[in-house]
């Protein structure tokens, strides 16, 4: 059985006249399919994000230096985890196509291989990261106190990379198979454990040692390790047609690593990982520029980034649903259904992003006060948040189109577009800061670039969709408007 499901390449795209209206789904059915994936994904990502938010709040009590140091370490971790998304993204897309083509055994094989390769690749990265933590932190140019905090956090966080990589793979595989609830429930349990441990270890409560910022890293490590154990156990028993164990009790029997599976996964995953690396690298460069403005600017950036991540969550959840459902639809040779999914998630993501952006805009100062009581950080963050929120609707639209492109097995286009957009913004930020601009002014660079990136991603999605028959010749991007015009005439 081939690793790559057939039926979604350009040459094998179905004739639109043969799929016709019967390929479409009832709007109510489609809405339920999207929400069954998007809502648990939203819950999972919200809880995962809450791990960092809780740690940020707890660490902020230790002062601006602790907050800035933890922020720098977390920025490095985003870079590393982006490199590991290759297996997660590739496995998720291929599992989605396998499920759509009614080949659950192929999905199981891909899941096993992805877990094996994630372990093999992440262990050397973790060792190198632990040994080189000091050198990595030095590139930020932080003040000595903040640099020491960053080093202690980063050593522990780097040691947890194999756990994080396998946890990402497990969640990606299940979402590709159509099960978003299991990752959400597991993350919920991890979140509860993390809150209790972080509170105890940072400040030394309940008889625990007072470890400061390092306690936050240790709490996250323990919580995610327990989450991985739970996820692997559940997948061994079988979830959404994916089972990691042969039918011999609950003993896990993995297949040996296979290069053909690795090539198939990495063919899709490497460009997606490169995209995340490009974006994370751009954020790292942005953070390094901000760090040179001062400790207060770095601390404010850390807090505002946490707020931005919350606003970004609904769009991210809808993007996950888009990728999975588009992949399943094309695996089942239903390109018009893929179009239906994308159209609905685009509209939902844009609407939610606008609403949340307005709320944050109006409540910027009270939101900042939830994280810190430092007046300077609150004032700077309250001025920056409204500018940041101008980018959110455009980013929400952009990631929906990138999600559809990934579902169509095009991971190159999002990489190219995001690379150009993000690094253009970083170049503009550098110019602004070099000429005396602060954190708030720097964010206007992203406001200028975001609409252009959104337009480019939309255009590329349209071109790719036409090749696969997801758009019929002459159709507009807004078919409902066209229908009203016909009825009115």
């Amino acid at each position: 059985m081939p690793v790559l499901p057939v039926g979604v390449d350009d040459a094998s795209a179905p004739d639109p006249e043969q799929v016709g209206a019967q390929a479409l789904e009832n709007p109510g059915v489609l809405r339920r399919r999207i929400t069954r994936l998007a809502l648990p994904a939203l819950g999972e990502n919200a809880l995962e994000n809450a791990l960092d938010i809780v740690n940020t709040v707890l660490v902020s009590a230790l002062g601006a230096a602790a907050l800035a140091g933890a922020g720098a370490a977390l920025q490095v971790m985003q870079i590393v985890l982006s490199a590991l998304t290759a297996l997660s993204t590739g496995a998720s897309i291929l599992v989605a196509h396998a499920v759509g083509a009614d080949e659950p055994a192929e999905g199981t094989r891909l899941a096993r291989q992805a877990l094996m390769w994630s372990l093999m690749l992440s262990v050397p990265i973790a060792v190198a990261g632990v040994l080189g933590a000091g050198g990595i932190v030095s590139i930020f140019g932080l003040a000595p106190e903040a640099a020491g905090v960053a080093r202690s956090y980063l050593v522990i966080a780097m040691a947890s990379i194999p756990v994080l990589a396998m946890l990402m793979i497990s969640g990606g595989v299940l979402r590709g198979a159509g099960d978003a609830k299991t990752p959400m429930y597991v993350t919920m349990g991890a979140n509860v454990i993390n809150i209790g441990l972080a509170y105890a270890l940072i400040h030394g409560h309940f008889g625990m040692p007072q470890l400061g910022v390092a306690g936050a890293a240790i709490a996250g490590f323990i919580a995610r390790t327990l989450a991985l154990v739970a996820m692997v156990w559940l997948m061994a028993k079988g979830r959404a047609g994916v089972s990691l164990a042969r039918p011999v009790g609950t003993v896990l029997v993995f297949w040996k690593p296979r290069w053909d599976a690795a090539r198939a996964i990495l063919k899709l995953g490497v460009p997606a990982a490169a995209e995340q690396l490009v974006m994370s690298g751009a954020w790292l460069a942005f953070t390094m520029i901000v760090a040179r403005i001062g400790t207060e600017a770095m601390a404010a950036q850390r807090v505002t980034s946490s707020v931005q991540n919350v606003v970004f969550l609904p769009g991210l959840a809808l993007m996950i649903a888009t990728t999975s459902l588009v992949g399943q639809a094309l695996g089942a040779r239903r390109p018009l259904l893929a179009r239906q999914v994308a159209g609905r998630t685009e509209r939902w993501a844009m609407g939610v992003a606008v609403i949340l952006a307005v709320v944050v805009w109006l409540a910027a100062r009270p939101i900042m006060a939830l994280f810190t009581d430092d007046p300077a950080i609150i004032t700077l963050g309250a001025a920056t948040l409204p500018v940041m929120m101008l980018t959110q609707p455009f980013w929400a639209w952009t990631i929906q189109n990138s999600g559809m492109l990934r579902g169509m097995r095009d991971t190159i286009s999002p990489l190219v577009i995001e690379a150009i957009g993000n690094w253009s913004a970083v170049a503009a930020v550098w110019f602004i800061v070099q000429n005396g601009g602060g954190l708030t002014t720097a964010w206007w660079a992203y406001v200028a670039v975001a609409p252009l990136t959104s337009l480019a991603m939309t255009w590329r999605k349209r071109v790719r969709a036409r090749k696969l028959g997801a758009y019929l010749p002459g159709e507009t991007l807004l078919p409902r408007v066209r229908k009203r015009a016909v009825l009115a005439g």
Side-chain angles (χ1 to χ4, degrees), residues 16 89 138 141 151 154 203 236 270 280 290 292 294 351 404 407 413 430 455:
T89 302
S138 66
R151 278 194 299 272
L154 192 58
H203 300 291
V270 166
S280 296
V290 169
R292 298 183 186 281
M404 186 174 182
S413 297
W430 178 84
L455 285 173

Side-chain angles (χ1 to χ4, degrees), residues 102-121:
D102 196 23
E103 296 180 353
E106 181 69 1
T108 293
R109 185 168 82 93
L110 289 165
R112 292 173 174 174
Q113 289 296 307
L115 281 169
M116 283 296 296
W117 284 103
S118 70
L119 181 62
M120 294 169 62
L121 293 174

